[in-house]
Amino acid sequence: MTELKKYLIPVSGLVMSACGNNVQERPNIIYVFPDQFRNQSLAFWNEEEYSGHVRWKADPVHTPNLDRFADEALVLSRATSTCPLSSPYRGMFLSGMYPERSGVTLNCMALRPESTLNPDAVCISDVFAANGYSCGYIGKLHAETPMKND
């Protein structure tokens, strides 16, 4: 029986993790949006298996869980965001649209209500839900304008 593949793309923040041994099962898919560190802040890039794929050294950090995660996954060494700003990137990643179409052109905040995810946008979670997945989100979405505290 073929084992399902596991994927980790720390550069873009996408994780597709397949659990279980049955090929008929749907893989669990987890998105991780690590917008508080850069690619070099993952220690595994200094390991021989990974270091030959990049032209830099990892920062002097200790990331044992992410290193173990990388060892169980497919790690991509090159990916580029056309808008490396937190909210627009999340809007692009969730909707597949450039910021001007997704509605998230700037970082979302209560004082900037014009930068929020277009309510008509079909997001990846909509596609997964339509195909039988249960979807959830933990943490700050940072792709919609937060409500003002009156």
Side-chain angles (χ1 to χ4, degrees):
M1 195 171 284
T2 306
E3 185 175 331
L4 292 172
K5 291 184 178 179
K6 298 177 183 181
Y7 302 92
L8 167 65
I9 309 170
V11 183
S12 68
L14 167 67
V15 178
M16 294 173 50
S17 175
C19 300
N21 294 325
N22 186 344
V23 178
Q24 302 300 322
E25 292 180 29
R26 283 187 221 129
N28 290 326
I29 300 171
I30 303 169
Y31 286 137
V32 179
F33 290 101
D35 63 355
Q36 296 300 314
F37 63 85
R38 59 196 185 108
N39 198 21
Q40 288 90 334
S41 63
L42 298 165
F44 67 80
W45 289 115
N46 284 337
E47 296 175 15
E48 186 176 335
E49 178 182 354
Y50 304 100
S51 63
H53 299 283
V54 295
R55 297 183 200 159
W56 37 262
K57 297 284 184 199
D59 294 336
V61 294
H62 184 66
T63 55
N65 293 327
L66 293 171
D67 298 346
R68 191 168 46 254
F69 200 22
D71 288 340
E72 298 173 0
L74 171 69
V75 176
L76 300 181
S77 60
R78 294 183 184 158
T80 304
S81 172
T82 58
C83 190
L85 190 60
S86 184
S87 292
Y89 167 76
R90 289 169 189 252
M92 288 173 26
F93 198 69
L94 293 169
S95 70
M97 294 186 253
Y98 288 116
E100 295 76 21
R101 293 234 21 232
S102 74
V104 187
T105 56
L106 301 166
N107 275 337
C108 298
M109 56 188 261
L111 299 175
R112 197 179 289 142
E114 71 279 2
S115 186
T116 193
L117 192 61
N118 180 342
D120 297 327
V122 176
C123 293
I124 195 164
S125 57
D126 298 320
V127 174
F128 283 131
N131 284 281
Y133 279 86
S134 295
C135 300
Y137 195 93
I138 299 171
K140 66 176 185 179
L141 179 58
H142 209 205
E144 294 184 317
T145 302
M147 299 174 79
K148 290 183 181 180
N149 292 332
D150 292 328

